[in-house]
Amino acid sequence: MKRLLAALVVVAAAVAVVWSPLSATAAASDPYAWKNVRIDGGGFIPGIVFNPGEQNLIYARTDIGGAYRWNQSSQSWTPLLDWVGQDDWGHNGVLSIAPDPVDTGRVYAAVGMYTNSWDPNNGAILRSTDKGATWQQTNLPFKVGGNMPGRGMGERLAVDPSNNKNVYFAAEGGNGLWRSTDYGVTWAKVGNFPNVGNYVQDPTDTNNYLNQNQGLTWVTFGSAGRIFVGVADKDNPVYTSTDSGATWSRVAGQPTGYIAHKGVISGNYLFIATSDTGGPYDGGAGQVYRLDITTGVWTDISPTAVADRYYGYSGLTVDRQHPGTLMVATQISWWPDAIFFRSTDYGATWTRAWDWTSYPSRSKRYTLDISANPWLDFNSTAQAPEESPKLGWMNESLAIDPFDSNRMLYGTGATLYGTTDLTKWDSGGTITIKPTAKGIEETAVLDLASPPSGAPLVSALGDIGGFYHADLDTVPANFHDTPSLGSNTSLDFAELSPSFFVRVGNADAAPHIGISNDGGKTWYQGQEPSGVTGGGTVAVGADANNVVWSPAGTGVYYSTTRGSTWTASTGIPTGAIVESDRVNPKTFFAYAGGTFYTSTDGGATFTARSVALPTTGRLHLKAVPGIAGEVWVAGSTGLFRSTDSGATFTKVSTVAEGVNVAFGKAAPGATHPAVFLVGTVDGVDGVFRSDDTGSSWLRINDDKHQYGNAGDALAGDPRIWGRVYLGTNGRGIFYADRTGPVPSTSASPSVSPSTSVSPSTSTSPSSSPSPSTSPSTGSGCTAAYKVTGSWTGGFQGEVTVTNNGGTATTGWTVKWAYTAGQTVTQSWGGTATQSGSAVTVTNASYNGALASGASTTFGFLGSTTGTTNPVPSPVSCSRVP
């Protein structure tokens, strides 16, 4: 995607490029508020850094989700890199972060996600003078791997406290040691640093992920110009300078055989924690050593004897208020749990967070309270000696507050934990550990669904599966389970029977599919064809009677038994993306290799269309709720719309590039659902809404809210006009609502008529005509009834209730009578009852209170017995009071 950039300015012979992003806006915009759907955490936190110069100034870094700053008053984290856009999405990988202890407004970050071809851009050093509120950027001449092996080591960035103009960066990939002498504006390689590292996890890795030289690992400063640097070289892990970086040498007498993950100075001592690998997922041996900087004597202070050790060491921290007090974490103790060790005598003796009593029992110096984030038990009831929840794993980040000996934070592979009564440990008491990740949203979002009834959102996520989000502002109690499918890759619901859901995922072995009959709240295991190795994509027919699944490892299959049996589809290639028509239960769509496919027999057979579609980019196809045969495709060359089930497509001329498309509730006065787009309009990347089927667009995000690699999951809300749900790769799920006034119907954007052409089959229902609105009657409130979609034997309707009184309501009731045998089968946004032909609908708990002039809607599904579906008249409305 294209991004407007400032002119590039070369600042030194071969060192760096300095640039700042220009602000860019689309031709029109609509003000929106963007908020995270709360999960709290959901990914690895490799670094936590306290600024020793200012109390409560704390930074956290993530491997794919940017960086954060602690907000003491709200006890939550503020994201700092949401301005990162599609073009430089890799800058949400933060390899290191360094606060300035002298000028505490300054902070630096080394950003870039991968050092291989997965990230097309080189890395960069970001610098801020306002604690990360705004940034400037210096491009590096090499890549940075914030999500590469070894990313938990560090910190690789460090500010020299004796001269804070000097900032050091210990780079990976054989790129050596770099230094800036002007507050991070320009950078040059330290040419006389003698070792660029040599540790490679797997030199034979054909994916080019494990075969990187992990380079240099950390920088730390002593007094009087003393600097120490860690190197990923098991024979030469620590180097030093005694003259402020003018010359360098290997530290004499140092321990060998391991990689120094951390190096921390306290007083006259350097402490290092070492492991036999770079982590963060592994580590089977290691040591903890102490160097007396004055005498040059190294002492092995490892908490565990070699014979009993099955882990390395990683997280390392010292108590600045109490010299001699330090803590270290295991790298990795998967079973039965992580271990934290604490010493108050410079490592001469240690105590453990837990000890064995009589196997399998353990005594603990802590209690772990996850009530704020209950899903952290991973839906598990572990058997002793394991427990649910665990202390964690991948505990590379461990930090004691330099101003408060009682506060300690540490990261895991899933969240951030903390305690505020740490010193109880030393007096024999029990400390309390709780999640401290509010504001950090790090999940990778693979699919989203917003059904017309039930929970407003159901998600499919990497690693932790996904959630039933009954309340967007509350952390869910548990994630999708029974079955657990690993990373969930796709989910869908029956548009006309939205309690039926199917989700699929990438578990290492079967099962790969789950079925729900209550809107995604609870699940049971479905059956699957032989050969399935991953989730792929899944599509559910509009009436829940047909499911089409395109899994990894085998071809496309369809089911007429809600996933209990499967039959191979024909006419469609393996790996195709599948989607269902949202009105016609038998119509399904698919895409593969630039070709569009249509099925009109429930997925049994597919027919290739002659239309040519994009073959590159992050292609997505979505069908329109309420309109049979309308399907849109977003791809690298734009946005395409079909109203005849894929027989023909028309390119939306205003869109240069599409990432994803979705549909939500229509604007007031409009008949077509609102269209949401992640893509490029008027030369600007962003998130857009159109209320007139793509004739015009409003940008609904801005340059400060781009979220990096976003848009592979996108859903509009069918119940709230303007609301959209955006999935990101590392910043979790966002929901966004309009903040401006609702326009009057007469001032609504004009909407082009949308003609739906039914597939050419005798079994396909015809599309509904333009919805008709019934006359309404009532005292103080009115109700407008309209049909929003119809098919053979059924239809969908919507009623808008408006408070015309001068005071607010506390409730309302709407009534009508059918004249052609229609029956209401399901309702949302109101409680419907029917006696004979008479229908009565009362408000839901959340929409009975309407201010004067305010409106709300409820929807319903109905069945028909004949060939007509006349709109009832009159439709009455009565209000309370």
Side-chain angles (χ1 to χ4, degrees):
M1 303 182 76
K2 309 301 180 188
R3 180 178 175 83
L4 299 177
L5 300 179
L8 301 181
V9 181
V10 178
V11 298
V15 288
V17 172
V18 181
W19 72 279
S20 296
L22 289 178
S23 177
T25 59
S29 62
D30 198 14
Y32 263 70
W34 290 81
K35 294 179 63 178
N36 270 117
V37 176
R38 277 195 68 189
I39 295 171
D40 289 7
F44 180 37
I45 299 178
I48 302 164
V49 183
F50 286 82
N51 189 322
E54 181 175 335
Q55 191 168 8
N56 295 320
L57 183 51
I58 317 167
Y59 296 93
R61 62 181 173 93
T62 71
D63 47 9
I64 63 172
Y68 294 82
R69 183 185 65 244
W70 177 249
N71 186 320
Q72 180 69 14
S73 61
S74 63
Q75 296 288 292
S76 65
W77 297 89
T78 299
L80 302 179
L81 300 184
D82 283 352
W83 52 267
V84 171
Q86 296 279 3
D87 280 348
D88 53 2
W89 55 264
H91 291 174
N92 267 331
V94 183
L95 181 66
S96 189
I97 195 162
D100 186 330
V102 180
D103 182 355
T104 59
R106 296 184 183 272
V107 63
Y108 304 87
V111 297
M113 203 167 289
Y114 300 104
T115 59
N116 57 19
S117 61
W118 300 349
D119 188 338
N121 298 317
N122 282 344
I125 303 294
L126 306 180
R127 64 187 186 278
S128 173
T129 58
D130 53 14
K131 302 179 181 179
T134 61
W135 298 86
Q136 291 179 296
Q137 176 172 317
T138 300
N139 288 344
L140 294 169
F142 52 83
K143 293 187 176 185
V144 169
N147 197 32
M148 295 293 288
R151 59 192 180 274
M153 297 190 287
E155 290 295 312
R156 287 175 160 97
L157 267 178
V159 178
D160 186 344
S162 64
N163 183 354
N164 66 323
K165 290 183 178 181
N166 297 334
V167 188
Y168 285 82
F169 176 44
E172 336 112 287
N175 290 301
L177 182 66
W178 287 67
R179 176 172 53 210
S180 171
T181 58
D182 55 7
Y183 298 106
V185 177
T186 62
W187 291 80
K189 186 174 182 178
V190 179
N192 63 345
F193 190 81
N195 192 340
V196 298
N198 61 16
Y199 175 74
V200 176
Q201 183 171 341
D202 181 2
T204 66
D205 179 29
T206 58
N207 290 320
N208 294 319
Y209 182 68
L210 303 178
N211 57 359
Q212 175 198 227
N213 176 2
Q214 294 187 18
L216 310 187
T217 58
W218 47 265
V219 179
T220 192
F221 298 92
S223 59
R226 196 70 185 264
I227 310 172
F228 292 91
V229 177
V231 179
D233 177 347
K234 292 184 179 181
D235 294 323
N236 307 283
V238 184
Y239 285 76
T240 190
S241 172
T242 59
D243 51 14
S244 301
T247 61
W248 299 88
S249 62
R250 181 184 185 274
V251 178
Q254 65 185 271
T256 61
Y258 301 109
I259 301 168
H261 277 228
K262 307 286 181 180
V264 180
I265 288 179
S266 177
N268 200 42
Y269 293 101
L270 168 71
F271 299 92
I272 64 170
T274 71
S275 182
D276 58 345
T277 74
Y281 305 106
D282 52 1
Q287 297 172 303
V288 181
Y289 262 82
R290 182 186 71 211
L291 169 67
D292 187 318
I293 297 174
T294 300
T295 64
V297 174
W298 288 90
T299 304
D300 185 349
I301 58 170
S302 302
T304 308
V306 173
D308 298 328
R309 201 157 54 228
Y310 55 91
Y311 40 76
Y313 299 95
S314 181
L316 173 67
T317 185
V318 298
D319 187 340
R320 303 291 178 187
Q321 299 293 317
H322 295 91
T325 295
L326 66 154
M327 294 181 68
V328 68
T330 51
Q331 172 72 30
I332 293 275
S333 176
W334 291 98
W335 182 95
D337 206 342
I339 311 171
F340 296 115
F341 303 90
R342 183 171 170 88
S343 173
T344 57
D345 53 11
Y346 296 92
T349 60
W350 298 85
T351 52
R352 294 164 45 121
W354 59 265
D355 290 287
W356 294 107
T357 53
S358 58
Y359 185 87
S361 299
R362 294 186 283 154
S363 63
K364 299 183 298 182
R365 287 183 168 85
Y366 67 91
T367 59
L368 187 51
D369 175 7
I370 63 166
S371 57
N373 299 155
W375 63 267
L376 286 168
D377 66 2
F378 279 75
N379 301 334
S380 172
T381 53
Q383 297 296 312
E386 294 187 272
E387 294 182 347
S388 298
K390 287 191 171 188
L391 275 171
W393 56 94
M394 298 164 62
N395 307 122
E396 299 259 25
S397 53
L398 175 68
I400 297 173
D401 188 336
F403 295 91
D404 183 356
S405 299
N406 272 309
R407 177 155 66 173
M408 182 264 286
L409 298 173
Y410 72 92
T412 76
T415 193
L416 187 152
Y417 283 111
T419 183
T420 57
D421 55 4
L422 181 60
T423 58
K424 286 184 178 179
W425 181 314
D426 305 324
S427 59
T430 300
I431 69 173
T432 300
I433 298 172
K434 296 181 179 182
T436 318
K438 183 180 179 182
I440 295 179
E441 296 293 341
E442 204 184 346
T443 52
V445 188
L446 302 181
D447 205 359
L448 296 170
S450 182
S453 60
L457 185 69
V458 183
S459 62
L461 305 177
D463 296 329
I464 58 173
F467 293 88
Y468 176 90
H469 302 274
D471 183 340
L472 304 176
D473 299 315
T474 300
V475 177
N478 48 64
F479 52 78
H480 298 323
D481 199 22
T482 317
S484 175
L485 308 178
S487 292
N488 283 210
T489 60
S490 178
L491 79 165
D492 195 16
F493 62 91
E495 188 71 40
L496 308 179
S497 184
S499 60
F500 181 70
F501 262 80
V502 178
R503 62 182 172 91
V504 293
N506 283 343
D508 292 335
H512 297 96
I513 184 169
I515 311 294
S516 174
N517 288 314
D518 58 5
K521 186 175 184 180
T522 62
W523 301 84
Y524 64 89
Q525 179 179 330
Q527 301 302 309
E528 60 191 69
S530 61
V532 174
T533 60
T537 57
V538 69
V540 179
D543 64 356
N545 289 323
N546 291 73
V547 181
V548 176
W549 185 15
S550 178
T554 187
V556 178
Y557 283 79
Y558 72 99
S559 174
T560 59
T561 57
R562 297 196 171 198
S564 62
T565 59
W566 296 91
T567 304
S569 302
T570 61
I572 182 172
T574 297
I577 302 169
V578 294
E579 170 76 354
S580 66
D581 190 275
R582 311 312 286 181
V583 174
N584 187 336
K586 294 292 186 179
T587 299
F588 288 82
F589 309 114
Y591 165 90
T595 300
F596 193 87
Y597 299 81
T598 303
S599 172
T600 58
D601 56 9
T605 61
F606 282 82
T607 300
R609 302 294 196 176
S610 60
V611 65
L613 289 173
T615 58
T616 60
R618 295 150 61 188
L619 189 139
H620 293 87
L621 63 152
K622 298 284 181 64
V624 180
I627 305 177
E630 184 169 341
V631 60
W632 296 51
V633 173
S636 60
T637 57
L639 181 64
F640 302 82
R641 177 192 184 199
S642 174
T643 58
D644 54 12
S645 296
T648 61
F649 279 86
T650 301
K651 187 178 187 299
V652 179
S653 61
T654 51
V655 178
E657 182 177 354
V659 171
N660 207 342
V661 64
F663 308 96
K665 181 179 174 62
T671 59
H672 190 281
V675 185
F676 294 98
L677 170 73
V678 177
T680 306
V681 176
D682 295 335
V684 176
D685 300 339
V687 186
F688 299 87
R689 190 189 80 244
S690 175
D691 295 320
D692 54 11
T693 62
S695 295
S696 62
W697 297 92
L698 297 169
R699 191 184 185 198
I700 62 175
N701 73 322
D702 55 42
D703 286 353
K704 294 181 179 180
H705 302 89
Q706 300 192 75
Y707 311 120
N709 192 359
D712 279 326
L714 186 71
D717 193 303
R719 292 173 266 187
I720 302 174
W721 172 55
R723 175 174 289 182
V724 66
Y725 303 96
L726 175 69
T728 72
N729 184 31
R731 273 290 284 124
I733 308 168
F734 286 89
Y735 73 99
D737 288 314
R738 300 179 69 257
T739 57
V742 177
S744 65
T745 300
S746 60
S748 299
S750 60
V751 180
S752 303
S754 177
T755 303
S756 298
V757 180
S758 300
S760 55
T761 171
S762 59
T763 61
S764 299
S766 61
S767 62
S768 62
S770 297
S772 300
T773 302
S774 67
S776 62
T777 64
S779 176
C781 68
T782 58
Y785 178 115
K786 63 180 179 180
V787 176
T788 59
S790 63
W791 54 93
T792 302
F795 68 100
Q796 181 172 331
E798 180 180 272
V799 175
T800 300
V801 178
T802 302
N803 176 17
N804 294 326
T807 60
T809 68
T810 59
W812 45 261
T813 300
V814 174
K815 296 181 179 181
W816 67 83
Y818 282 125
T819 59
Q822 303 102 312
T823 301
V824 173
T825 59
Q826 185 176 350
S827 64
W828 54 93
T831 302
T833 58
Q834 184 168 355
S835 177
S837 62
V839 178
T840 301
V841 183
T842 56
N843 59 274
S845 60
Y846 59 84
N847 64 359
L850 296 176
S852 177
S855 298
T856 190
T857 61
F858 64 85
F860 58 93
L861 298 178
S863 63
T864 56
T865 57
T867 59
T868 62
N869 180 26
V871 172
S873 179
V875 177
S876 67
C877 181
S878 59
R879 52 169 280 169
V880 181

